Amino acid sequence: MTLTAIDLFCGAGGLSAGLEMAGFKVLAGVDLFEAAGKTFVETHKHAAFIGEPIEDVTIEKLMEKTGLKKGELTVLAGGPPCQAYSVYNHQRGMHDKRATLFREYLRIVEGLQPEWIVMENVMGIYSIGGGEAVRAIKYELKQLGYDVEEKVLKAEEYGVPQERRRVVFIGNRINAPIRHPAPTHGPGLLPFTTIREAIGDLPALENGEDGGTVKYAHPAKGDFQEFVRGDQNTVENHGAPRLGKVNIERLQHIPPGGSWRDIPHELLPAGMQRAKRSDHTKRYGRMTWDGLSCTVLTKCDIHWGAYIHPQQDRAVSVREAARLQAFPDWFVFAGSKTDQYIQVGNAVPPLLGRAIGQTIREIIEDGVSIRIAAE
């Protein structure tokens, strides 16, 4: 039995990588972001990549590229661009064109008739239009014959060393049970993956240093490092952004777990000198070795979150951000450094994708076993 998937809005391919870890064969990815497309092509050499606006992607083209006929695809996955739903976008609303891109996903669902669908998005989708987007997604999929349930999944509960909340819709048209993955990490389960376990083997960097291809600083220690390193002997994308002199001076005052509150008042940016102590809780935050990362965004900008290395006076590298997203080290990100951070921050953590894929696969295999037993 071959389990197949197509990934819409695939970006660099984090969800695709997770589904493949769960035993699915990803046949195609669709995205308009050129740098992400280059990354996807290099990390999913067996899959077709379609670098076009989703509105221009026809059902005929998808079937031609994958060799599938209508009804043969196992899973259609994807996460429409989230900016319109995001709590960081205060002008979000259903009038925003990006908020209706999920309708393109629905068009392709109708055309391909996959057995299963997986949609991922940010928590802000619950508040847009008073929940209009969520209701519309579930109603329209129901009209197409799909039972759908959504749930907020916490990435850290699946081994990702990061606090990350995402809404995941799972549905099918084959009357199979719908189940979201059960947590594997947390109280009473495996311990959460710490930042030390995630990035502690990577070489030290000075502010602005980028050595290109580098060797690991230490032997792999622990299951997570064994997983992300695989057979790799060297690592890419490990270069520190260059921070200005005043920022370096600010960082020297911030201890592990500290933030902008630890910076002397006269060194704070003018706007933050007027801030209340209760404001901007994660700004200029320094990570702690034994904690979890805050949510990795498309900019690991120290002005906006806790993206300062636990020990070194610099911002985290693209590779460190990728590790915090649970990307294997063989995933090399293409494009400018800005493009690379965007690819990492927009991705579904592969370990979360794996958990989703494994759960769907278990349901499918249970159904096959029941049918065989009945025969």
Side-chain angles (χ1 to χ4, degrees), residues 1 3 24 74-75 115-116 174 176 359-369 371:
M1 180 174 59
L3 302 176
F24 287 78
T74 311
V75 174
E115 292 185 350
W116 290 81
I174 56 176
T359 300
I360 293 174
R361 179 174 182 159
E362 287 167 6
I363 295 170
I364 292 171
E365 290 177 344
D366 286 347
V368 171
S369 297
R371 287 198 297 274

Side-chain angles (χ1 to χ4, degrees), residues 17-262:
L19 290 173
E20 293 193 329
M21 292 173 193
F24 287 78
K25 183 177 182 180
V26 175
L27 301 178
V30 178
D31 204 284
L32 190 56
F33 184 13
E34 183 178 357
K38 290 179 180 177
T39 302
F40 184 92
V41 167
E42 287 302 312
T43 53
H44 299 80
K45 293 183 183 295
H46 53 279
F49 177 73
I50 303 173
E52 298 177 6
I54 193 74
E55 298 93 332
D56 297 341
V57 178
T58 64
I59 303 304
E60 291 73 22
K61 177 175 287 187
L62 285 168
M63 292 193 292
E64 176 190 346
K65 293 284 188 181
T66 61
L68 293 172
K69 297 177 182 177
K70 185 174 181 177
E72 291 182 343
L73 179 65
T74 311
V75 174
L76 182 67
C82 64
Q83 293 94 328
Y85 306 144
S86 173
V87 294
Y88 292 103
N89 178 4
H90 301 295
Q91 284 75 46
R92 67 190 186 276
M94 288 302 287
H95 63 276
D96 189 318
K97 181 177 183 292
R98 294 168 301 181
T100 61
L101 283 176
F102 77 87
R103 296 187 182 279
E104 294 297 327
Y105 178 92
L106 295 172
R107 172 181 65 84
I108 294 175
V109 171
E110 183 176 18
L112 286 181
Q113 286 289 295
E115 292 185 350
W116 290 81
I117 64 95
V118 174
M119 279 187 70
E120 176 266 353
N121 224 296
V122 294
M123 292 286 289
I125 196 172
Y126 278 123
S127 60
I128 181 175
E132 180 183 349
V134 173
R135 290 192 296 272
I137 289 168
K138 296 177 76 171
Y139 172 79
E140 295 197 35
L141 282 166
K142 186 71 174 177
Q143 297 301 108
L144 296 177
Y146 291 80
D147 295 317
V148 181
E149 295 179 13
E150 96 281 354
K151 185 176 182 179
V152 176
L153 299 183
K154 301 177 180 179
E156 65 269 27
E157 293 184 340
Y158 304 95
V160 181
Q162 174 195 170
E163 292 180 344
R164 191 181 189 91
R165 307 287 182 271
R166 286 297 184 267
V167 182
V168 176
F169 297 80
I170 298 177
N172 68 70
R173 61 170 178 78
I174 56 176
N175 297 316
I178 298 172
R179 199 166 65 235
H180 285 76
T184 54
H185 293 66
L189 302 167
L190 295 170
F192 291 130
T193 305
T194 67
I195 291 172
R196 185 188 300 275
E197 291 168 323
I199 67 172
D201 63 323
L202 295 174
L205 294 171
E206 297 293 333
N207 175 50
E209 179 185 358
D210 190 342
T213 303
V214 295
K215 294 183 177 179
Y216 296 105
H218 308 289
K221 185 176 181 181
D223 291 342
F224 186 86
Q225 288 179 20
E226 293 279 0
F227 159 70
V228 290
R229 285 167 65 155
D231 296 329
Q232 296 285 116
N233 295 313
T234 58
V235 66
E236 307 276 351
N237 302 122
H238 186 48
R242 182 168 296 282
L243 302 176
K245 182 179 179 182
V246 67
N247 270 327
I248 294 299
E249 196 171 349
R250 290 165 182 157
L251 265 57
Q252 292 168 356
H253 295 277
I254 304 170
S259 69
W260 69 279
R261 297 173 187 80
D262 298 292

